[in-house]
Each structure stands twice: as C-alpha cells, then as structure tokens.
Amino acid sequence: MEFEKIRDAAINDDSGEENSLDLREQIEKYLRHWKWFVLAILLSFIYTFYNLNFKRSSYEAVSTIKIKDEKNGDKNALSAFQDMGIMSPSNDNIDDEIEVLKSKTLVAEVITSLKLNVQFFTNKNSLSKFLDDNLGFNTEFFETENYDTPPLNLNFFISDSALYQIGAEFLIKVNSDNQYTFSTTDKSIVKTQSFGEKITTNFGDLIVLPNVDFKEANLIGKNILVSITPVADMANAYLYGLAIEPKSEFSNVLSLTVIDSHKKKAENFLDELVQRYNLRAIRLKEELSQNTSEFVSERLNLIAQELADVDENVEDVKSKYGASSAASSAGLNMQMAKQIEQQKNQTATQLSQIKQVKEIVATKGKNEMIPSVGLTDPNVANSVVKYNELLTAKQTRLKGGSTEKNPIVVALDDQLKSLESSINKGLQNAEASTKIAFDAYSQEYNIAQGRIYGAPQQETQIRDVTRKQQTKEALYLYLLQKREETAITLGVADPNAKIIDKAESNPNRVAPKKKTAYLFALIVGLLIPFSILYLRDILDSKIHTREDIEKVLGIPIIADIPKLEGKKSRYLIKKEDHSGVAEAFRILRTNISFILPKTAESNDGKVIFVTSSIAHEGKSLVATNLATALSHANKKTVILGLDIRAPKIEPYLGVRSKQGVTNYIINSDIKPADLVVSAPENDYLDIITSGDLAPNPAELLMNARIKELFDFAKENYEYVIVDTAAFSMVTDTLLLSKFADAFIYVIRANFVDKRMLKYVNFLYKEQRLPNMALLLNGVDQKKTYGYGYGYGYGTAFENSQKKWWQFGKS
C-alpha cells in the first residue's frame, strides 16, 4: 500500500504532466488503429478517383448588362411620351427583372433556340474503357463534348414538342464513311445502317447524316455518344448553375454567370438569354402600343363623322341668317359670357370622353385593354394603367403555355375583375362630378346671356352650333395627336437590357477541383474510422485499462496482468520464463508485501485470498501463478482451493487429488496433512484441492474444521494463497474473509462492466474485505502505457506480435 501511495503521488505531482499524459493517451488510443485509418483513406481516395474520372470539367462564363430604368430618368425615346400619358412609368424594380431573366420559360426558349438538348460526345474516358472492356461494366463515359463542330446531323421525324420531352442516350459507331452501327447504351438494340437512310429507334424514326470528314476527325471505328435530354430537365440544370446579381447595391448593372461543361456553349447561352429577354420586352411593348393605336383610330373615325355633321349644321345656320361670327356684341358681359362658355365647352368635352370610356368598358371583350387617353381623374387613370399591365401579364402567361385554369392566371383574372369594378365606379363618380360642373357652367352661362341686352336670336343660334363644332373639333384634334404619338412609340420600341460586356469564359475550369476533392477524401477517410472508434468508446461500458478504474475508484491497484495470447487459458509461469505475463506475476509477488498488515506475526504464514466479482475473470489463473511465483522465490507456499462450487486449480497445476477440502470437512478422520499434494517439479509449492462437489457448499464452509485447516497452513507455510468463489454470486468468500490477511480482487479487462465498480467500491468503503487491493487481469498492452515494468521481454512476447498486415482484434 505504501508502494501504491508513492507511485500515485509521483504520477499526480504535476497537473501539467497529467494533462500531457491524458492527451497522449487519447492520441495513442486512435494511433493503435492506424491500419483502419490507412484503409479508410485508401478507400476514400479510390472512390474520389473514380468519381473525378466520371465528371466532366465545368467552365464559368460571365456577361454584364444594364437594365434600363425608365422611372429614374433613363434618357430614351419612350421617356419623352411618359409626360404626355402615352406610356405609364415602369414600376418594375431590378429584382423583378432578375426573376424574369431566371424564369424557366425563358431558359427553355434559349435551350430550344440553340438546340442544347441534343449533345454529342467523343473520346471515351480511359478508366471507363478499362472497366467496360475488361470488367464487364457499362459506364460508356465520353469526355469531349463536340459542341462547335458536331460530328453528326440528326433529322428527327417526331415533332419538336415531342423531341423536347424525350430523354435518350445511344451510341453511333462509325464503321466507314457510309455506314454506322446504332446501339443503345445497354446494348438492347443494335443496328447497322447506312448514313442517310431512315432508322427506327425506341423513341421514333430519324436520319443520321455525317457533319464532318470522319477520316480527318479520326472517328472511323470509334463511338459517338448522343445524349438527348428533356428541355425541362436541362432548364432546371442550367437554372442551378445560373447566377444573376447586381454589381452593387441599388445598381442597374447585372452580372450574369453560368457554369457549363463547354466554354463556347456557356458563352452562347448567356448571349442568347439576354437576346431572348430583350425580344420579349420589345414584343410586349409593341403589343401594347398596337392595341392603343387601334383603339385611337376607331375613335377618330367616329369623331370625324360627328364633326362633319356639326360643320354642316354651322354652315346651314350661318347661311340662313347671313352671319359669319357668333360674336356680335361687345362689352364686359360678352367677355364674361365667352369665358364661361369656354369653361362649359371644356367640361362638356371631359363629360363626352368619360361617357365614351364608360361605353368602351361596358362593351369591351374579356381580354381587351382599356385606353388610358383622355382621363383627367388620376385615380381612374392609374387603375386603367394597372388593368392594362395585369392584362398584359395574363396574355404573356397564356402565350407561354399556361391555361385559364392556371392558379396564376385565375389570380390575375380576379385582380382584373376587381380593377374593372373600381374603374366603373371611378368613371361614374367622375361623370357625376363633371355633370354637376357642366350644369353650373350652363346656369352661369344663361345668366350671362340674359344680361346681354338685345342679343339677336340668330346670334344665339349661331353660337350654339359653333360651340358644338368647337367641342367636336377639340376632341378630334386630341385623338389625332394621340394616334401620331402612339405610332411613334410603336416605331421606337427598344430593348430593356443593354449589353456592357458580352459573355466570356474563364479559361480555367471551376469544377471538379481535384485538390479540394482529395483533401475532402482525406478528411472523410480520417473522420469515418475516428467517428466509429469514438462512438464505440462512448457506447463501450467495459473496463479496458487501469486508468478506467483509477478514474472511478481510489482503491490501490497492485498489478496489471497482460492478456494471454492465443489459446493459453491455463497458462502457468515457469522459473526461466521471461514473458510479459511471467514478469507481471513477479511484480505482483514483490508488491504483495505492501498490502499485508505489519502487525502479522512473522512466523505465521500470510493468508492471501484471491477473488473476483463474477466468474471467468481469471482469479484461479492469478492464484495459481502467484503461488508459483512465490515458490520460485524459495518461499514455502501452499495454494488452497476453496472455490468448492467450480474448482479450477487442479487443471492449472497439473495435479489430481483423491480428496480435498470438502472431504476433509465431512470426514473427521482426515487430517489437514492428508490433503497436501506436492506440485510437480516444484519443492516449494504444495496444493490442497477443493475436493468433491458438495450440494451445500455454504454450510460446509461454516464448519469449525475450516479454522483448523487455516491454522495448519499458516504454521507450515510462509504464504497461503486461497482461490475463492466469485464474490457477487455467492456468500462463500464472505464467510471465509475473517481468515484472510489481505484480499486480491481480480478485475478482468475487456470483460467486466464499469457499473460493477460501484459494487467493488462499496466493499472497499464498508471494509468487508480486509486489506483489499485490485488486480487488473487480461490487459491489452497496446491499449495502455500502464506500469508493466518488464512487459515485452523475451521471445514469448516477440513471437506473439502480429505482422503489420494482420487485421486482428485490437
């Protein structure tokens, strides 16, 4: 015990050194499994190598455009008409335009325009060729995409809409300039055909024509992989690699980036995307201007007819009265009447325009626009502008393939109905207020007329028809001006996006990044075994090293016994044995003196009990080898077998006795000396076996003759080693504990659950076992730095070492 205190004090003296040892222990715990780490890294590298060889290089193309901002003063032809109410100010922000550019419909248009859904690949990958030709794989991986100069020209007999939906891969092997072999990638269909002849495939008929000189292209005898991808799937793939972002916050300059396996294809994609976006914007503007122009022309024809009728009435009145002017009076009253008359005429014009718009709204079709000209009420005018914009958005959806039942189209219809109701209500309110103003001006005008003294009747009639003529003429001129303005707008419709930098590819590939991939493979190769080992340690509740015990218990550990290699379950040390196990028992022999009480009489033998918590922990192995080690030191030793339930010392020591402890207790004629059996080839070791199995072992051990047996052993031997039963299973050992000078409590590594230590701690604290010390049996030397002085000496240890390539149990 003093030895243990000195040793523990030396270990715990420096906390820094303890932390260093803990860290080293953790590192060594994983380094012991270095073979699994190497294997995991190797497999991870092989998997990464395989994946990298079956991924085509990807390149990035970048383009820069500027989105026109009409609302914030972009100086173009259309901005001049916004002040006149021809084109409503744009309320689209830059985020809306980004969403339009990234719309799946627009991307699909680009794919169909450039025919990107049909791809040609040549130059089969070397790894793919090896796997397919030698190992029976069917990878068919070709590295080079022939986008600039496709080797073949395919003429499909199916419609474009059907072609855009199919997905297929097939091989064209060029046999000669005139002949080829068609085959599916799984070789289910193989046909030999001449170029230019129609061939029937599983997706329809087609004609294959050469597009290059096969000899110059070195394609004769080689395969060409043709891949047809559904446009919808390809659109999703491009959207995944498409990035559109403003150059800076609140900027109208956008940076467009796309990733593709071919540099030129990436550049063409971006350029075509911008072009399609501009064509769509121009088409929408032209459609709106055309609808407005047609409406104004219709109104002009009607007003022109009405104006002709009014001009004829004026001519008739003036001819009847011979007057040429409606102004026949002078003075202040006349001037006032003329001012009121002008205001009345303007109000009448506004009232007429409102009625015309009301009539148009009431009689227009479901998908017809409402003209925004001639509306003085700003709320009604804004509602009309919003109505036309929503209707344009609906028509765009319908042209893009949506139906009337599409949720977005239904939502737009609901908004259109709501706006139409709002417009009708606004027109009614505007008409009512204008009518009130017109009546007021009429009343003031009548008063002014009454004040004109002696106005002739003919002058009044002339003024009346002249007023009507002026009203119609003003409306006619207004509509004529609007028609000309709309025609100019139609002619100068310009695109929304201005190209600053055309698409240009980065010469360096962006994927796959081999260094990053192998670094990731290294991390994964380290992480997988580490995680498994870490998880195993977390879930592992077994005791493995003395450190596991020391973290829980404060009980001294007298020795560590290494694990026996191979099938040496009944190993017995020899005098000239230099193995690690033999050295461990010699250390145990030395340490015994530290646990024995100093008060014991030197002339009496020292009684040392060996026990354990459960069976199969190696207590019999420890007891027999400890007794053997003491005898090798010329100490007269006897080993007493008191595990009368499952005796094991006889097979260890290679002896056989006709009578033992149970026979001695039952038969009073047998003397203790009659039980002694000498060990073979060992003059200092005697054995007293357990005897015959008895049905009542606990009662037998309570017999008074047991004390006589112990007195005999102590008188005749220096050391008495007692092999007892497992402590937690039966009470036998507790019944005999009063005869013990010290207890060696055996704990088997990699076998006993850590929760069993609570029971051991209870025995120690309650002092149920005198001078108790622990012995850790079956220690794996590779898992602990321990205190195994001398472990590893001799040829026995060297022969037990595994070769580096052997993956046995750790």
Side-chain angles (χ1 to χ4, degrees):
M1 190 174 296
E2 292 296 330
F3 168 78
E4 293 293 336
K5 290 181 179 179
I6 295 172
R7 186 188 64 194
D8 292 342
I11 294 174
N12 298 319
D13 183 55
D14 190 353
S15 60
E17 183 179 355
E18 181 181 0
N19 293 334
S20 177
L21 290 174
D22 289 342
L23 179 60
R24 178 181 175 184
E25 179 187 0
Q26 293 297 321
I27 294 174
E28 290 180 347
K29 181 171 63 175
Y30 292 101
L31 286 179
R32 283 193 296 268
H33 304 279
W34 66 269
K35 291 173 286 190
W36 296 110
F37 282 93
V38 171
L39 179 61
I41 292 172
L42 180 62
L43 293 176
S44 181
F45 270 53
I46 292 173
Y47 178 78
T48 303
F49 174 78
Y50 180 86
N51 275 349
L52 290 175
N53 274 273
F54 286 91
K55 284 186 178 180
R56 295 185 179 91
S57 298
S58 298
Y59 299 91
E60 183 181 73
V62 180
S63 177
T64 307
I65 63 173
K66 180 181 180 182
I67 301 297
K68 182 174 59 181
D69 187 3
E70 298 175 4
K71 179 172 63 176
N72 291 329
D74 194 5
K75 301 303 180 182
N76 52 52
L78 294 181
S79 63
F81 302 121
Q82 292 177 4
D83 296 335
M84 297 186 285
I86 298 173
M87 298 295 293
S88 60
S90 173
N91 59 355
D92 295 333
N93 55 36
I94 199 69
D95 292 334
D96 295 335
E97 299 307 315
I98 290 176
E99 292 303 318
V100 174
L101 282 165
K102 293 177 66 174
S103 65
K104 188 175 181 180
T105 303
L106 189 61
V107 172
E109 288 181 9
V110 175
I111 293 171
T112 55
S113 175
L114 297 177
K115 298 181 180 180
L116 301 180
N117 60 314
V118 180
Q119 298 170 279
F120 301 91
F121 297 95
T122 57
N123 298 332
K124 192 171 184 179
N125 178 277
S126 57
L127 179 60
S128 173
K129 186 176 181 180
F130 173 79
L131 294 175
D132 294 350
D133 296 345
N134 299 287
L135 302 181
F137 283 65
N138 189 30
T139 59
E140 297 297 346
F141 184 78
F142 294 78
E143 290 183 323
T144 305
E145 180 180 359
N146 301 87
Y147 173 75
D148 293 329
T149 55
L152 301 173
N153 185 12
L154 304 181
N155 295 320
F156 296 90
F157 283 81
I158 59 176
S159 63
D160 288 343
S161 59
L163 178 63
Y164 295 154
Q165 295 178 5
I166 67 171
E169 281 191 350
F170 56 89
L171 296 170
I172 299 292
K173 183 178 181 180
V174 181
N175 300 326
S176 65
D177 289 335
N178 302 317
Q179 196 179 64
Y180 68 93
T181 298
F182 172 94
S183 63
T184 55
T185 53
D186 59 0
K187 308 301 180 183
S188 60
I189 300 176
V190 179
K191 295 180 179 180
T192 301
Q193 200 84 8
S194 297
F195 287 108
E197 293 182 354
K198 184 170 69 172
I199 181 173
T200 301
T201 67
N202 53 347
F203 53 84
D205 296 341
L206 78 153
I207 294 177
V208 181
L209 296 172
N211 199 41
V212 296
D213 189 326
F214 292 138
K215 290 183 179 179
E216 290 184 2
N218 193 25
L219 290 176
I220 294 180
K222 296 185 178 179
N223 285 323
I224 300 172
L225 176 66
V226 181
S227 176
I228 304 175
T229 308
V231 171
D233 295 345
M234 184 162 280
N236 289 330
Y238 269 103
L239 285 173
Y240 180 79
L242 178 63
I244 304 176
E245 296 179 349
K247 280 289 189 179
S248 61
E249 192 174 4
F250 308 117
S251 174
N252 289 340
V253 178
L254 300 181
S255 175
L256 284 68
T257 305
V258 73
I259 296 175
D260 200 278
S261 60
H262 197 282
K263 298 178 184 178
K264 186 63 176 178
K265 187 166 66 170
E267 295 173 358
N268 291 349
F269 175 84
L270 288 182
D271 291 340
E272 185 69 14
L273 180 68
V274 176
Q275 183 177 353
R276 289 282 165 178
Y277 168 76
N278 283 333
L279 288 176
R280 173 180 287 190
I282 292 173
R283 187 170 59 249
L284 293 176
K285 291 177 182 179
E286 289 178 346
E287 185 177 352
L288 178 59
S289 298
Q290 185 66 35
N291 291 337
T292 303
S293 178
E294 290 175 359
F295 164 75
V296 172
S297 297
E298 291 177 3
R299 299 309 303 166
L300 271 173
N301 293 333
L302 180 61
I303 297 300
Q305 184 61 41
E306 294 178 354
L307 183 59
D309 295 339
V310 172
D311 288 342
E312 187 176 348
N313 290 337
V314 171
E315 184 179 352
D316 291 342
V317 171
K318 289 185 177 182
S319 298
K320 178 180 178 181
Y321 294 107
S324 61
S325 175
S328 58
S329 301
L332 182 61
N333 290 333
M334 183 61 70
Q335 293 178 359
M336 184 179 299
K338 289 178 69 175
Q339 291 177 357
I340 295 173
E341 184 180 19
Q342 289 177 358
Q343 294 175 343
K344 183 180 178 183
N345 289 341
Q346 291 177 358
T347 306
T349 300
Q350 294 175 4
L351 187 61
S352 175
Q353 292 174 355
I354 292 172
K355 290 180 179 179
Q356 290 174 6
V357 175
K358 280 185 63 180
E359 181 182 357
I360 292 169
V361 173
T363 59
K364 74 175 185 64
K366 182 178 181 181
N367 292 324
E368 290 184 19
M369 294 189 178
I370 300 174
S372 60
V373 296
L375 297 176
T376 58
D377 190 318
N379 293 329
V380 177
N382 288 337
S383 297
V384 170
V385 170
K386 291 180 181 179
Y387 181 92
N388 290 336
E389 290 177 349
L390 289 177
L391 184 58
T392 301
K394 175 187 174 184
Q395 292 173 354
T396 301
R397 287 281 179 182
L398 293 175
K399 290 179 180 180
S402 302
T403 64
E404 290 288 344
K405 295 182 179 181
N406 186 284
I408 298 178
V409 175
V410 172
L412 289 172
D413 282 337
D414 294 339
Q415 296 180 46
L416 287 170
K417 290 178 182 178
S418 176
L419 282 174
E420 186 174 346
S421 175
S422 176
I423 291 169
N424 283 324
K425 187 174 180 181
L427 289 172
Q428 290 175 1
N429 293 336
E431 183 182 13
S433 60
T434 306
K435 184 67 169 59
I436 293 172
F438 179 77
D439 292 339
Y441 286 131
S442 297
Q443 185 177 0
E444 291 178 6
Y445 178 74
N446 292 333
I447 295 173
Q449 287 286 48
R451 290 177 180 176
I452 300 174
Y453 176 77
Q457 182 179 2
Q458 64 271 22
E459 195 170 310
T460 301
Q461 293 180 4
I462 291 172
R463 186 180 295 112
D464 185 48
V465 295
T466 303
R467 181 180 62 248
K468 293 179 180 180
Q469 181 189 37
Q470 292 174 347
T471 300
K472 296 296 181 182
E473 190 178 69
L475 182 58
Y476 180 81
L477 292 174
Y478 176 80
L479 292 175
L480 187 63
Q481 179 186 6
K482 294 305 174 184
R483 185 178 68 176
E484 293 302 319
E485 292 171 348
T486 304
I488 296 173
T489 302
L490 183 61
V492 297
D494 58 347
N496 271 9
K498 179 182 178 182
I499 298 176
I500 298 176
D501 292 322
K502 293 195 69 174
E504 184 177 356
S505 296
N506 191 327
N508 299 322
R509 67 182 180 186
V510 295
K513 297 180 178 179
K514 292 187 178 181
K515 291 183 179 179
T516 304
Y518 281 116
L519 177 60
F520 182 75
L522 177 63
I523 294 173
V524 171
L526 293 172
L527 188 62
I528 290 176
F530 175 82
S531 301
I532 294 174
L533 293 173
Y534 181 75
L535 186 62
R536 188 194 68 173
D537 289 343
I538 291 178
L539 299 178
D540 185 13
S541 61
K542 302 294 184 182
I543 296 171
H544 298 287
T545 64
R546 69 183 296 143
E547 290 73 32
D548 294 337
I549 300 175
E550 291 172 343
K551 291 176 182 177
V552 181
L553 303 178
I555 306 174
I557 300 175
I558 194 171
D560 301 339
I561 306 300
K563 179 175 65 175
L564 295 176
E565 301 292 342
K567 298 182 179 180
K568 301 179 180 179
S569 59
R570 294 178 179 175
Y571 176 80
L572 188 67
I573 65 173
K574 302 185 182 302
K575 194 167 186 178
E576 300 300 328
D577 192 347
H578 296 287
S579 66
V581 177
E583 293 295 337
F585 279 108
R586 293 186 184 104
I587 293 173
L588 174 61
R589 179 183 66 192
T590 304
N591 291 342
I592 282 176
S593 60
F594 295 102
I595 64 172
L596 291 171
K598 295 180 180 179
T599 57
E601 298 181 8
S602 58
N603 294 331
D604 291 339
K606 281 66 174 183
V607 181
I608 302 171
F609 276 50
V610 181
T611 187
S612 63
S613 298
I614 56 177
H616 308 296
E617 291 194 66
K619 58 181 179 57
S620 298
L621 171 71
V622 172
T624 54
N625 281 286
L626 174 60
T628 302
L630 289 168
S631 67
H632 289 166
N634 297 332
K635 303 292 184 182
K636 191 64 177 176
T637 306
V638 64
I639 180 168
L640 183 58
L642 287 183
D643 185 358
I644 59 177
R645 298 176 185 267
K648 292 183 180 179
I649 62 171
E650 291 183 15
Y652 278 105
L653 296 170
V655 298
R656 199 165 185 82
S657 177
K658 296 181 179 179
Q659 54 189 5
V661 175
T662 55
N663 307 100
Y664 163 77
I665 295 173
I666 296 172
N667 189 352
S668 59
D669 295 333
I670 301 175
K671 304 300 180 182
D674 300 333
L675 304 176
V676 176
V677 179
S678 298
E681 302 178 0
N682 193 336
D683 297 336
Y684 289 89
L685 178 61
D686 289 337
I687 306 157
I688 298 178
T689 62
S690 59
D692 298 331
L693 295 179
N696 56 343
E699 288 75 12
L700 288 177
L701 295 177
M702 295 174 63
N703 193 289
R705 287 176 62 83
I706 290 292
K707 183 178 183 305
E708 296 177 9
L709 180 61
F710 273 102
D711 290 341
F712 167 79
K714 293 174 69 174
E715 290 174 2
N716 294 279
Y717 298 95
E718 295 181 63
Y719 287 96
V720 181
I721 307 302
V722 183
D723 179 31
T724 64
F727 201 90
S728 66
M729 303 178 68
V730 293
T731 61
D732 300 4
T733 303
L734 191 60
L735 294 173
L736 300 172
S737 60
K738 60 186 176 181
F739 300 111
D741 292 320
F743 260 89
I744 297 177
Y745 202 103
V746 178
I747 297 175
R748 182 178 173 183
N750 308 312
F751 182 76
V752 178
D753 195 291
K754 292 178 181 177
R755 290 170 289 187
M756 187 64 73
L757 296 179
K758 294 182 180 179
Y759 177 69
V760 177
N761 194 42
F762 167 77
L763 295 176
Y764 182 74
K765 288 186 176 180
E766 296 295 324
Q767 298 182 355
R768 298 292 181 93
L769 305 179
N771 299 315
M772 174 179 169
L774 302 180
L775 182 143
L776 187 60
N777 183 36
V779 176
D780 189 344
Q781 299 173 74
K782 299 178 183 179
K783 288 188 176 181
T784 177
Y785 54 85
Y787 305 102
Y789 311 111
Y791 290 11
Y793 295 143
T795 57
F797 177 84
E798 295 172 356
N799 293 335
S800 69
Q801 295 302 293
K802 297 176 184 176
K803 299 296 185 284
W804 69 270
W805 62 82
Q806 294 176 329
F807 289 78
K809 289 184 179 180
S810 59

